[in-house]
C-alpha cells in the first residue's frame, strides 16, 4: 500500500489528536534543578508540537511541490507565522525557587511571584488548571500541559501556607 499526501495528512491529524489525548492522560513528574523544583511541559506535549504540527504544515505544501506547481510566497510566510504564534503561546516552565515561583517562556518574558506575595491559589476547570495570583498583579498558570499537577498544588500550599480555592 502506497501512502498518498491525503492519507499522510489524515495520519498526521490522527497522530496529533492521539498525542493531545495522551497528553491529558499522562501525569508527568516534576524534576529538581539547581534553580529549584521545576514543572516543565510533558514530553508528549512537546513531541506533539515539535514533530506532528510541522509535519502537518509540510503536508499542505507537498501536493503543490509534487505537481511542480508554484508554491505561493504567502504559504511559507503563513506557516512561519503560525509556528511563531504556537511557540509564543506555549506555557512556560514553572520553577518553585527557595524565594518564590517563576515561569520561564520561550518567546516572552519571565513572570515571578515571591511566596509572601501570593494572594490566592485557584483550581480551575475541575483541577485541570491551577492559577496563582500575586500581589504584584502577576498570575502564573499551571495547565494540563505541565507535569505534576497534584505535586505542584501540594508543594505550593506547603511553601505559601495558603489553601487552594476550588
Amino acid at each position: 500500500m502506497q501512502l498518498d499526501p491525503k492519507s499522510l495528512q489524515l495520519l498526521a491529524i490522527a497522530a496529533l489528536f492521539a498525542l493531545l489525548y495522551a497528553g491529558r492522560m499522562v501525569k508527568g513528574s516534576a524534576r529538581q534543578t539547581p534553580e529549584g523544583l521545576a514543572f516543565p511541559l510533558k514530553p508528549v506535549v512537546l513531541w506533539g508540537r515539535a514533530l506532528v504540527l510541522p509535519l502537518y504544515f509540510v503536508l499542505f505544501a507537498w501536493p503543490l511541490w509534487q505537481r511542480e506547481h508554484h508554491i505561493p510566497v504567502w504559504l511559507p510566510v503563513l506557516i512561519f507565522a503560525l509556528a511563531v504564534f504556537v511557540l509564543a503561546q506555549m506555557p512556560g516552565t514553572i520553577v518553585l525557587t527557595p524565594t518564590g515561583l517563576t515561569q520561564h517562556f520561550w518567546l516572552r518574558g519571565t513572570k515571578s511571584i515571591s511566596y509572601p506575595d501570593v494572594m490566592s491559589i485557584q483550581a480551575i476547570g475541575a483541577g485541570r488548571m491551577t492559577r496563582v495570583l500575586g500581589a504584584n498583579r502577576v498570575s502564573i498558570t499551571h495547565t494540563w500541559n505541565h507535569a505534576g499537577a497534584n505535586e505542584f498544588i501540594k508543594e505550593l500550599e506547603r511553601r505559601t501556607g495558603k489553601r487552594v480555592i476550588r
Side-chain angles (χ1 to χ4, degrees), residues 102-121:
T102 61
Q103 189 169 20
H104 305 285
F105 296 96
W106 288 13
L107 298 178
R108 291 188 278 166
T110 299
K111 294 180 178 181
S112 296
I113 304 173
S114 64
Y115 295 127
D117 290 340
V118 171
M119 291 176 27
S120 69
I121 306 167

Side-chain angles (χ1 to χ4, degrees), residues 67-148:
R67 293 187 184 117
E68 298 179 7
H69 284 239
H70 174 70
I71 297 176
V73 173
W74 60 265
L75 185 61
V77 170
L78 177 66
I79 290 171
F80 179 76
L82 286 172
V84 169
F85 180 75
V86 167
L87 286 175
Q89 297 303 315
M90 285 183 67
T93 298
I94 300 172
V95 180
L96 300 180
T97 67
T99 59
L101 64 152
T102 61
Q103 189 169 20
H104 305 285
F105 296 96
W106 288 13
L107 298 178
R108 291 188 278 166
T110 299
K111 294 180 178 181
S112 296
I113 304 173
S114 64
Y115 295 127
D117 290 340
V118 171
M119 291 176 27
S120 69
I121 306 167
Q122 303 170 339
I124 301 169
R128 280 184 238 124
M129 288 183 11
T130 303
R131 180 171 293 139
V132 182
L133 301 173
N136 56 355
R137 297 184 148 209
V138 172
S139 71
I140 293 177
T141 305
H142 184 286
T143 67
W144 66 268
N145 294 314
H146 289 98

